[in-house]
């Protein structure tokens, strides 16, 4: 403060210019923030309107219809969809962690020939559009009699998930090698180093990978529509929500209430684990 | 291989190798450990990457309807795709349009937003949270919300434009504005790119700017010669990532098209895809329609190979760039 005061005495013009750019920056940031958050506010406000009002231009509810959220559960088996989504996202995440953590460890903390090639293959698999492999995979799962269920989406996670391996590897490589080296000198096996040294230190990275895996599977639409398709009993929230509107055509209030209910778990998760999310994104952005 | 290059003399001194011991038995054990740790991924790569890629290549040269055995037809699927399929060029054009606009929009807008945020000292965390939150929205939920927000007559956005005397477009109900509407949604969910770019901007050493401004470099020169080179790898990652997102564009187009059409058919059914007037029909949607609604699995496989070839080109560019940036190399 004192410094800037003396500076303003020296050149008031420059100080004024600085103040103007400060105002400008904050104005732009606030405008952008409003743009980002307004859609969510419109969803909330519409979800609380009456059937009739939701069809009008009104943006603010004249009466608050909290019961809309309960009505949504009567109109569609949201709870069942919720449990299906939970089964898919939960098991996929657990399976991913069991299989991907050792892979990421070998790719970042052990030296061996072909390690870089293997890492590039992970990136190639990460970038592969799911539609490319859909036909033969569908044929295989159909022959196994598992189409109509969520297993074709869950089981592959037992064999590692490319994005998770990438994210975990980016995190593990930032832990100084000296930690593992001193444990190895003390006679620890690689498995021992992984379990006793790396796992506790990598907790934030593992949490981030778990969150992203959960989020990606929770939000997945292509996978469930491909495999559960006609079998509505195994539908996830994404599928249920996509069809909700076609059944409840004119009821924008109920549609927005359902939309909010599908978004809510993700938003709650974010507020509890904001730091892990942000750290995870930074690592996915080619760091390390 | 490496066992032969490793001499059997006791513990090589002053070695930078990770392994403190150099005996053949330990080497062998380490190899087995690597193999054990890598085994889930090696199996996964074979089962869910190599096998389906080979199978897709084979199916793409056949007539296959899932019920009877595939019948060899040579390259006729590919010939049909590029010369006779009435909607193929529409689908390719839409995907190309979306890929270009989404990539330029997300990365350009993301960079601008990040450059604003990096200059804000107090409350930066709050802004970052608000910018990032929509990126978490499930794509189906975001699509429903945007069909509502962009509703031509009652939606908030056109009402907002009306305040300035602008008559808003019909968005999802006008073939000329359906894709721009999808792009607006893509900007709303671009928070991930903002966070990545913000993190890399914060990593640029401040002394570089101080030194440059002492030398009399103006803002543009500083951006061009300090900021841009420093964030180049992350920028590159964002671009390629957005291209891949564009090439895979599916969920938002399927859901927005079906909801905006007002049809009572289930989302993603043949009746509603591409609404309005096939303006939102993307390449992956056409692949899905052909393969899993029409059961033209051979034809869908040919499309998958084309999609793979295009995605592979961009992935190779990314991997090469990452290599030149030193990512993935031994340190």
């Amino acid at each position: 403060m004192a410094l800037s005061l003396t500076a303003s005495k020296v050149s008031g013009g420059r100080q004024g210019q600085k103040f103007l750019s400060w105002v400008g920056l904050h104005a732009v940031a606030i405008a952008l923030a409003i743009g980002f958050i307004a859609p969510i506010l419109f969803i909330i406000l519409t979800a609380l309107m009456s059937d009739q009002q939701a069809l009008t231009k009104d943006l603010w509810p004249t009466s608050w219809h909290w019961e809309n959220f309960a009505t949504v559960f009567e109109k569609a088996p949201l709870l069942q969809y919720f449990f299906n989504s939970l089964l898919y996202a939960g098991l996929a995440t657990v399976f991913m962690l069991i299989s991907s953590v050792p892979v990421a460890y070998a790719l970042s903390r052990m030296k061996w020939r072909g390690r870089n090639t293997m890492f590039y293959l992970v990136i190639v698999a990460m970038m592969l559009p799911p539609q490319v492999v859909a036909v033969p995979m569908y044929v295989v799962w159909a022959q196994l009699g598992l189409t109509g269920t969520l297993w074709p989406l869950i089981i592959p996670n037992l064999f590692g998930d490319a994005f998770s391996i990438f994210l975990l590897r980016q995190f593990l490589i930032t832990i100084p090698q000296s930690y593992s080296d001193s444990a190895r000198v003390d006679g620890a096996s690689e498995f021992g180093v992984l379990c006793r040294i790396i796992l506790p230190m990598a907790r934030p990275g593992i949490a981030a990978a778990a969150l992203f895996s959960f989020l990606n599977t929770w939000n997945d639409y292509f996978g469930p529509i491909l495999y559960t398709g006609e079998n509505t009993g195994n539908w996830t929230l994404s599928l249920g929500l996509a069809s909700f509107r076609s059944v409840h055509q004119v009821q924008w209030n109920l549609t927005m209430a359902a939309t909010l209910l599908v978004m809510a778990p993700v938003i709650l998760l974010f507020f509890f684990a904001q730091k892990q999310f942000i750290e995870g994104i930074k690592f996915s952005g080619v760091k390390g | 291989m490496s066992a032969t290059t490793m001499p059997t003399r006791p513990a090589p001194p002053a070695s930078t190798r990770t392994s403190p011991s150099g005996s053949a038995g330990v080497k062998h054990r380490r190899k087995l450990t690597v193999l054990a740790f890598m085994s889930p991924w090696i199996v996964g790569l074979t089962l869910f990457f190599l096998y389906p890629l080979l199978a897709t290549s084979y199916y793409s040269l056949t007539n296959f309807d899932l019920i009877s055995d595939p019948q060899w037809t040579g390259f006729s699927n590919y010939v049909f795709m590029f010369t006779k399929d009435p909607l193929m060029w529409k689908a390719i054009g839409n995907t190309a349009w979306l890929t270009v606009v989404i990539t330029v929009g997300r990365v350009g807008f993301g960079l601008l937003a990040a450059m604003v945020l990096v200059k804000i000292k107090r409350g930066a965390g709050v802004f970052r949270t608000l910018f990032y939150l929509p990126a978490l929205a499930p794509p189906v939920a975001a699509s429903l919300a945007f069909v509502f927000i962009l509703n031509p007559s009652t939606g908030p956005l056109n009402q907002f434009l009306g305040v300035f005397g602008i008559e808003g477009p019909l968005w999802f109900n006008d073939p000329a504005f359906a894709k721009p509407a999808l792009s607006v949604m893509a900007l709303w969910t671009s928070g991930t790119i903002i966070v990545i770019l913000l993190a890399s901007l914060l990593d640029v050493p401040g002394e570089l700017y101080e030194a440059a401004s002492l030398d009399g470099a103006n803002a543009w020169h500083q951006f061009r010669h300090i900021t841009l080179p420093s964030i180049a790898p992350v920028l590159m990652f964002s671009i390629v990532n957005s291209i891949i997102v564009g090439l895979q564009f599916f969920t938002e187009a399927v859901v927005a098209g079906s909801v905006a059409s007002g049809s009572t058919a289930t989302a993603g059914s043949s009746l509603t895809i591409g609404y309005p007037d096939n303006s939102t029909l993307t390449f992956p949607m056409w692949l899905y329609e052909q393969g899993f609604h029409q059961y033209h699995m051979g034809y869908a496989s040919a499309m998958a190979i084309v999609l793979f070839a295009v995605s592979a080109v961009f992935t190779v560019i990314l991997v090469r760039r990452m290599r030149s940036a030193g990512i993935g190399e031994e340190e």
Side-chain angles (χ1 to χ4, degrees):
Chain A
M1 248 318 167
L3 254 177
S4 63
L5 276 176
T6 29
S8 75
K9 272 179 206 158
V10 176
S11 63
R14 188 184 275 180
Q15 194 62 27
Q17 214 175 16
K18 256 195 168 169
F19 178 72
L20 271 183
S21 80
W22 185 93
V23 170
L25 276 173
H26 283 73
V28 173
I30 290 167
L32 286 175
I34 292 171
F36 275 111
I37 229 60
I40 295 175
L41 291 180
F42 290 131
I43 301 171
I44 297 173
L45 291 172
T46 308
L48 292 167
M49 288 179 184
S50 66
D51 290 4
Q52 293 80 19
Q53 203 198 354
L55 291 171
T56 66
K57 284 186 167 187
D58 295 0
L59 298 179
W60 197 262
T62 44
S63 54
W64 302 80
H65 293 264
W66 295 96
E67 75 278 4
N68 285 347
F69 290 105
T71 313
V72 166
F73 285 95
E74 292 161 22
K75 299 276 181 180
L78 275 199
L79 268 185
Q80 193 185 348
Y81 299 155
F82 177 82
F83 283 117
N84 290 338
S85 284
L86 206 59
L87 178 82
Y88 171 25
L91 276 184
T93 302
V94 172
F95 285 3
M96 176 283 287
L97 283 180
I98 295 170
S99 57
S100 301
V101 169
V103 177
Y105 179 88
L107 284 175
S108 58
R109 321 259 338 151
M110 298 180 78
K111 294 201 170 171
W112 41 282
R113 269 165 39 98
R115 184 176 90 158
N116 288 334
T117 312
M118 213 27 126
F119 177 60
Y120 293 131
L121 275 175
V122 170
I123 296 172
V124 171
M126 181 171 90
M127 292 295 187
L128 186 79
Q131 293 91 2
V132 168
V133 293
V135 169
M137 288 325 299
Y138 188 88
V139 172
V140 169
W141 292 112
Q143 279 164 354
L144 292 171
L146 287 174
T147 44
T149 73
L150 287 166
W151 293 110
L153 302 169
I154 298 170
I155 293 170
N157 286 282
L158 272 174
F159 303 95
D161 166 65
F163 177 69
S164 307
I165 294 172
F166 175 76
L167 196 60
L168 285 165
R169 183 257 180 207
Q170 296 297 89
F171 192 87
L172 292 187
I173 209 151
T174 61
I175 300 174
Q177 288 289 346
S178 52
Y179 286 103
S180 351
D181 286 347
S182 53
R184 284 181 193 127
V185 170
D186 291 345
S189 67
E190 288 298 331
F191 188 70
V193 176
L194 168 60
C195 291
R196 274 189 237 121
I197 314 288
I198 300 303
L199 279 188
M201 295 186 81
R203 225 175 271 162
I206 291 172
L211 282 172
F212 279 106
S213 164
F214 192 89
L215 184 70
N216 289 339
T217 43
W218 185 270
N219 288 349
D220 185 17
Y221 177 76
F222 181 71
I225 202 180
L226 183 63
Y227 287 111
T228 63
E230 314 279 293
N231 193 354
T232 54
N234 284 329
W235 274 13
T236 59
L237 273 178
S238 284
L239 283 186
L241 183 62
S243 298
F244 188 85
R245 171 72 184 147
S246 58
V247 184
H248 303 279
Q249 278 274 2
V250 287
Q251 288 168 297
W252 271 116
N253 55 342
L254 295 186
T255 307
M256 287 302 111
T259 303
L260 210 55
L261 286 168
V262 174
M263 280 187 183
V266 170
I267 292 175
L268 276 179
L269 197 65
F270 174 70
F271 278 114
F272 280 114
Q274 210 186 124
K275 206 171 150 254
Q276 269 73 30
F277 268 110
I278 302 290
E279 285 303 306
I281 306 168
K282 285 184 193 166
F283 278 103
S284 71
V286 202
K287 224 187 174 190
Chain B
M1 237 339 144
S2 49
T4 53
T5 59
M6 208 63 204
T8 43
R9 68 190 141 95
S15 163
T16 51
R17 311 275 320 177
T18 0
S19 168
S21 164
S23 81
V26 171
K27 272 260 126 185
H28 188 65
R29 267 193 64 150
R30 276 179 61 83
K31 267 189 178 175
L32 280 181
T33 313
V34 165
L35 201 62
F37 282 8
M38 289 302 295
S39 58
W41 177 243
I42 293 168
V43 174
L45 204 62
T46 315
L47 287 181
F48 304 109
F49 185 81
L50 293 178
Y51 161 71
L53 221 50
L54 286 174
T56 304
S57 314
Y58 166 68
Y59 288 143
S60 77
L61 301 170
T62 67
N63 221 335
F64 182 37
D65 60 2
L66 200 62
I67 297 152
S68 42
D69 285 338
Q71 281 168 358
W72 186 265
T73 56
F75 286 95
S76 64
N77 282 328
Y78 292 93
V79 173
F80 181 83
M81 192 190 315
F82 292 114
T83 59
K84 293 201 188 78
D85 185 335
L87 284 177
M88 179 51 67
W89 288 105
K90 190 93 196 164
I92 290 175
N94 287 340
T95 290
W97 193 100
L98 284 166
T99 303
V100 171
V101 171
I102 285 174
T103 303
V104 173
R106 273 164 55 110
V107 176
F109 175 72
L111 188 57
L112 277 176
M115 287 180 70
V116 169
L117 284 192
V118 81
K119 294 221 168 105
I120 286 176
K121 303 283 180 292
R122 293 176 67 186
V126 176
F127 280 117
R128 194 186 56 187
T129 301
L130 293 179
F131 285 27
Y132 176 60
L133 203 56
L136 295 168
V140 173
S143 309
L144 276 165
F146 266 74
V147 174
F148 168 73
I149 288 159
L150 300 181
N151 187 296
S153 54
T154 59
L157 186 64
N158 277 7
Q159 286 194 57
F160 176 73
L161 292 175
V163 172
F164 302 98
I166 302 166
E167 199 184 327
L170 298 178
W171 298 111
F172 286 116
N173 294 311
D174 179 350
F177 277 92
K179 282 192 290 294
L182 289 171
S183 313
V184 171
M185 203 198 313
L187 285 191
W188 188 60
T189 55
S190 64
T192 307
I193 286 186
I194 300 175
V195 173
I196 294 177
L197 289 171
L198 177 62
S200 70
L201 284 174
L202 287 168
D203 276 350
V204 183
E207 306 92 73
L208 287 180
Y209 292 113
E210 280 163 32
S213 63
L214 282 177
D215 289 344
N218 63 27
W220 166 248
H221 279 117
Q222 292 186 21
F223 175 77
R224 175 75 189 73
H225 296 289
I226 300 172
T227 312
L228 220 49
S230 306
I231 65 170
V234 176
L235 208 55
M236 183 67 199
F237 181 86
S238 310
I239 292 170
V240 175
N241 193 265
S242 294
I243 291 173
I244 300 285
V245 167
L247 291 176
Q248 297 181 10
F249 208 81
F250 179 84
T251 305
E252 292 86 346
V254 168
V255 177
S258 90
V259 175
S261 74
S263 160
T264 50
T266 325
S269 73
S270 315
L271 296 168
T272 62
I273 62 159
Y275 177 86
D277 194 23
N278 293 315
S279 62
T280 59
L281 181 75
T282 66
F283 192 85
M285 272 164 83
W286 193 226
L287 187 163
Y288 176 77
E289 168 68 18
Q290 286 294 325
F292 299 97
H293 283 144
Q294 316 280 341
Y295 293 105
H296 299 151
M297 293 242 171
Y299 188 49
S301 297
M303 275 188 236
I305 290 297
V306 172
L307 184 59
F308 173 70
V310 178
S311 307
V313 168
F314 290 105
T315 308
V316 167
I317 293 174
L318 178 69
V319 168
R320 284 188 141 178
R321 273 310 181 95
M322 287 178 78
R323 191 175 274 168
S324 67
I327 290 148
E329 302 301 313
E330 316 256 336
E331 56 266 47

